[in-house]
Amino acid sequence: EGNLAEEPDFRKHAAMLNEARQAYPHETYYSDELQLVRNKEALLEREIARARELEQSESYEDALHEWEALRSLYPWFAALDAEVARVVQLSEEKKNRITSAWIGRIQDAIKAAQYDSAFQIIENALAEIPDEPQLLALKRELEDIRQKEAAANESFTSGKSLLEAGDLTEALDRFVAALRITPRDAELRNSIAGVLLYYVFYGITQA
């Protein structure tokens, strides 16, 4: 009985009790203990099934908590280490898929110069995946782009005012400065071209 009580593994414990029950059929102790062990084993199986159900719904964080709790409760159950490692990998794979999808949307918005939209997408992404390094890097990149855009718009507005005041040389300098800040900004280039064309035609008409 001493060896039976010291065996933590339910399956081994059950096998030992079954042997003892066969050796001592008139001893009800072994039958009673075997039923208790089988009840514990059934509870463990239900808890394992619960963890697997969470995996099936891709609730990997919750599933991981279940597996880690089981590992803490049943340290003798060596298979639980592999289960925890497996769910950690599944969780990382899911996170990577979600991150890639968000990054694709953000990059598309940036390429289309839809910076306000890109910034909102980043905020939504970080709400789902806080502190994700790739998203934080894109946020810093976008903040830099927005700062440059603001500086370029300021130069453009200043140049437009100078052009209206008749200072063509200084106005052109401001336009060039704006384009140097954001050389790929097609909207800015079109705006500058439009203002200059208007100025040329307006000047000619007035003359």
Side-chain angles (χ1 to χ4, degrees), residues 19-201:
E19 289 179 4
R21 187 182 62 172
Q22 292 175 2
Y24 305 98
H26 300 296
E27 289 286 345
T28 59
Y29 167 81
Y30 297 114
S31 295
D32 293 341
E33 282 296 306
L34 180 59
Q35 187 58 51
L36 289 174
V37 170
R38 283 176 174 168
N39 289 342
K40 291 179 181 178
E41 189 174 5
L43 176 61
L44 173 58
E45 293 298 330
R46 287 196 297 272
E47 291 171 339
I48 288 175
R50 167 62 179 162
R52 295 204 188 285
E53 286 176 5
L54 290 169
E55 288 181 39
Q56 290 297 319
S57 63
E58 294 193 354
S59 301
Y60 295 125
E61 289 188 10
D62 292 335
L64 185 59
H65 291 155
E66 289 286 334
W67 285 118
E68 288 178 337
L70 288 172
R71 184 169 62 175
S72 177
L73 288 170
Y74 309 107
W76 50 265
F77 196 175
L80 292 175
D81 289 336
E83 298 289 356
V84 168
R86 183 178 56 78
V87 175
V88 167
Q89 182 177 352
L90 289 172
S91 180
E92 283 299 314
E93 289 173 355
K94 179 183 178 182
K95 179 183 176 183
N96 290 339
R97 289 196 303 271
I98 294 172
T99 301
S100 295
W102 280 117
I103 289 174
R105 291 180 59 192
I106 294 164
Q107 290 176 336
D108 287 345
I110 291 175
K111 288 177 182 177
Q114 298 173 350
Y115 302 127
D116 289 340
S117 176
F119 194 82
Q120 185 58 57
I121 294 171
I122 288 177
E123 291 299 309
N124 292 340
L126 286 171
E128 182 175 2
I129 317 172
D131 302 323
E132 166 55 42
Q134 295 179 80
L135 294 174
L136 292 174
L138 276 173
K139 184 177 182 180
R140 290 191 295 269
E141 177 185 336
L142 182 58
E143 288 171 345
D144 183 57
I145 290 172
R146 295 178 79 178
Q147 288 177 358
K148 288 180 178 179
E149 183 185 43
N153 287 335
E154 184 178 350
S155 291
F156 169 72
T157 301
S158 177
K160 186 177 178 182
S161 298
L162 289 166
L163 189 62
E164 291 171 351
D167 192 344
L168 178 60
T169 301
E170 188 63 28
L172 288 174
D173 287 343
R174 298 296 172 87
F175 290 154
V176 170
L179 288 173
R180 283 176 177 168
I181 296 171
T182 55
R184 297 181 180 178
D185 192 333
E187 185 176 350
L188 177 61
R189 291 199 302 271
N190 291 336
S191 296
I192 291 173
V195 168
L196 290 173
L197 285 172
Y198 176 82
Y199 174 81
V200 170
F201 284 112

